[in-house]
Amino acid sequence: DAMVIQNPRYQVTQFGKPVTLSCSQTLNHNVMYWYQQKSSQAPKLLFHYYDKDFNNEADTPDNFQSRRPNTSFCFLDIRSPGLGDAAMYLCATSVNGREQFFGPGTRLTVL
Amino acid sequence: TQLLEQSPQFLSIQERENLTVYCNSSSVFSSLQWYRQEPGEGPVLLVTVVTGGEVKKLKRLTFQFGDARKDSSLHITAAQPGDTGLYLCAGADDYKLSFGAGTTVTVRA
């Protein structure tokens, strides 16, 4: 089945220790997104790629970076995680921007 | 940023009761999506509505898009415990979605 896969599902890191979350898709969608979601809140868009064109949201902290080496893969790098970065990180893909297909998420814990 | 307001924020009902969730905006969207999210999982797309006045049915779920394409509602008939989750509406604009804050629905057996 075509799908969006996120690894790992759970990630524990220490304060200030860099961490990378990964996302892959078999849908062959040209748009990929990274969202941050905190408990009982709506997902908050961090950035998105339209093909290789990177689009950063104005309020995304500099601590967050992303890479998309090819159509199928996208990575979220958190350079120096703080306690406030503990959240669910969701990857999504889309072909038209309006119908987005989400992965299961990575739950990040910062100790 | 276009804002979407959802109401109510929380809804707890007994099995087999009906419920309605509302999504309102002051802006016009080209389309509106409804998602359901279960704890620890990503949101799952339920429906997309595009045309003003459109009504779509998905088994016991009925979705309406307002004539002016600024508001939408989700109605669940005879709710079941499996309908429990966070319901999110989202409006599409230029390859991005603006999400409402969500409605947490709990259906008690």
Side-chain angles (χ1 to χ4, degrees):
Chain A
D1 285 343
M3 57 197 324
V4 180
I5 302 162
Q6 290 189 243
N7 285 306
R9 291 295 310 275
Y10 301 92
Q11 176 73 58
V12 180
T13 191
Q14 292 182 333
F15 183 93
K17 186 174 181 181
V19 66
T20 295
L21 310 182
S22 71
C23 176
S24 63
Q25 55 137 337
T26 61
L27 297 161
N28 204 32
H29 286 171
N30 58 330
V31 193
M32 292 188 77
Y33 306 81
W34 278 107
Y35 290 87
Q36 179 192 66
Q37 186 179 30
K38 297 194 175 180
S39 183
S40 300
Q41 296 181 18
K44 177 180 180 296
L45 182 64
L46 296 173
F47 17 63
H48 75 280
Y49 282 90
Y50 185 97
D51 292 324
K52 290 192 174 183
D53 184 22
F54 175 73
N55 298 274
N56 195 36
E57 292 303 293
D59 57 354
T60 298
D62 293 339
N63 199 23
F64 291 83
Q65 296 180 331
S66 182
R67 297 169 282 137
R68 189 181 185 186
N70 54 53
T71 300
S72 301
F73 287 87
C74 198
F75 299 96
L76 171 62
D77 300 308
I78 308 177
R79 289 192 294 183
S80 183
L83 297 179
D85 296 328
M88 174 76 93
Y89 289 88
L90 295 163
C91 173
T93 73
S94 180
V95 67
N96 57 19
R98 66 185 193 195
E99 292 163 331
Q100 296 187 16
F101 296 87
F102 286 82
T106 295
R107 170 71 65 185
L108 178 68
T109 300
V110 182
L111 300 178
Chain B
T1 304
Q2 301 181 62
L3 296 177
L4 284 163
E5 293 184 357
Q6 283 188 242
S7 62
Q9 186 178 358
F10 298 96
L11 194 54
S12 180
I13 60 170
Q14 201 69 33
E15 187 176 11
R16 289 184 291 276
E17 290 183 342
N18 301 332
L19 69 96
T20 302
V21 177
Y22 299 93
C23 178
N24 295 291
S25 172
S26 58
S27 303
V28 175
F29 287 99
S30 60
S31 68
L32 198 140
Q33 288 73 39
W34 284 93
Y35 292 82
R36 180 172 66 216
Q37 185 177 23
E38 297 185 15
E41 299 293 332
V44 174
L45 179 65
L46 296 174
V47 79
T48 296
V49 285
V50 178
T51 306
E54 184 175 4
V55 177
K56 281 192 173 179
K57 291 192 174 184
L58 185 67
K59 295 183 181 179
R60 293 176 293 99
L61 278 61
T62 302
F63 303 86
Q64 288 190 302
F65 200 16
D67 291 340
R69 291 189 290 137
K70 292 182 179 181
D71 55 270
S72 181
S73 64
L74 157 61
H75 182 80
I76 302 179
T77 304
Q80 299 175 359
D83 296 324
T84 292
L86 176 67
Y87 288 82
L88 295 159
C89 67
D93 178 41
D94 193 25
Y95 284 92
K96 296 195 290 187
L97 293 179
S98 297
F99 281 93
T103 296
T104 300
V105 171
T106 304
V107 183
R108 303 184 305 274

